[in-house]
Amino acid sequence: SQQGEEDPQALSIQEGENATMNCSYKTSINNLQWYRQNSGRGLVHLILIRSNEREKHSGRLRVTLDTSKKSSSLLITASRAADTASYFCATGAGSYQLTFGKGTKLSVIP
Amino acid sequence: EAGVAQSPRYKIIEKRQSVAFWCNPISGHATLYWYQQILGQGPKLLIQFQNNGVVDDSQLPKDRFSAERLKGVDSTLKIQPAKLEDSAVYLCASSLGTPNYEQYFGPGTRLTVT
């Protein structure tokens, strides 16, 4: 079963703009992770935020986590054409398993 | 360091045939996962190994799918007999196996069942 649900399903922006994707989930988690998938590099881990953290940064990525609302957001600043990919949130809860959502398809237009 | 290796990269078979996929995880990673990813969806966990023991196979269709991880390193996933709905990308991933660690994915095997 898929716990995380990304929103929007698809997003199209101009190069240089910021992209925001949201993820909602249903049950308690240990951590929430964001992954990127494109045809060239497969599924790649971007960032992990633990349940006791509220915000985390990595380069042009900023992730927030609100456990009271069971939601997370991924912000990509100053987007590039190379950011075109599908982005998945994955929730971790016990036994090191991850449950993935259906993803947001991001298109960055040069 | 070398990443997760998978083979073959592509496979086309007819329904009712059998197929096997191979995965070599990152050295030292105790936990190995097999996922099924159908086009347009996120990966769905099929089975998780901790060393050579099964941790979770609740979503593995055991009437046709089987997996093993001998000696706690390489793993194989087999489908027999295949159905049309098994057409998907099969991803192998590994991790250090402790909470709050990311998973490293292989390139996947794209299976087409005709």
Side-chain angles (χ1 to χ4, degrees):
Chain A
S1 62
Q2 290 179 313
Q3 167 162 232
E5 186 119 359
E6 293 91 342
D7 172 64
Q9 290 186 5
L11 179 62
S12 185
I13 60 173
Q14 296 288 328
E15 202 165 29
E17 293 181 337
N18 295 341
T20 300
M21 289 159 263
N22 302 297
C23 171
S24 59
Y25 58 92
K26 296 175 182 174
T27 61
S28 296
I29 60 173
N30 292 330
N31 64 75
L32 187 143
Q33 304 182 30
W34 285 90
Y35 287 79
R36 179 181 65 211
Q37 186 175 42
N38 58 32
S39 57
R41 291 196 59 195
L43 202 64
V44 175
H45 177 264
L46 295 176
I47 197 165
L48 180 153
I49 186 165
R50 303 183 185 197
S51 59
N52 61 353
E53 297 175 313
R54 291 297 166 258
E55 187 171 313
K56 206 159 184 183
H57 296 255
S58 177
R60 294 183 296 112
L61 306 179
R62 172 178 166 253
V63 168
T64 61
L65 178 65
D66 187 334
T67 53
S68 66
K69 295 182 179 178
K70 291 186 170 58
S71 67
S72 173
S73 68
L74 170 67
L75 169 67
I76 304 173
T77 60
S79 63
R80 306 167 182 169
D83 295 328
T84 294
S86 292
Y87 291 81
F88 295 92
C89 72
T91 52
S95 300
Y96 326 142
Q97 293 175 12
L98 289 179
T99 304
F100 285 80
K102 293 185 178 181
T104 291
K105 195 168 185 177
L106 173 66
S107 297
V108 181
I109 303 165
Chain B
E1 79 187 348
V4 176
Q6 288 188 249
S7 68
R9 292 294 308 276
Y10 305 91
K11 191 75 178 179
I12 301 173
I13 61 172
E14 296 182 352
K15 60 182 179 184
R16 290 187 290 273
Q17 287 186 324
S18 62
V19 64
F21 312 125
W22 174 82
C23 172
N24 182 241
I26 292 173
S27 177
H29 281 193
T31 309
L32 184 147
Y33 312 80
W34 282 101
Y35 290 88
Q36 179 194 59
Q37 186 176 22
I38 292 172
L39 187 65
Q41 298 185 18
K44 182 184 89 170
L45 180 70
L46 292 175
I47 189 167
Q48 176 188 346
F49 292 94
Q50 181 74 14
N51 297 309
N52 61 347
V54 176
V55 174
D56 185 352
D57 63 357
S58 57
Q59 298 193 87
L60 187 74
K62 298 181 188 62
D63 57 333
R64 298 183 301 106
F65 286 64
S66 65
E68 60 182 7
R69 190 183 184 195
L70 299 176
K71 301 180 182 178
V73 182
D74 293 10
S75 178
T76 56
L77 176 69
K78 297 178 181 176
I79 307 175
Q80 182 179 16
K83 293 185 176 181
L84 295 176
E85 59 260 36
D86 298 332
S87 293
V89 176
Y90 290 85
L91 296 164
C92 179
S94 69
S95 75
L96 284 170
T98 51
N100 296 323
Y101 272 88
E102 63 264 35
Q103 294 183 16
Y104 295 83
F105 284 80
T109 297
R110 183 177 297 277
L111 174 67
T112 302
V113 182
T114 63

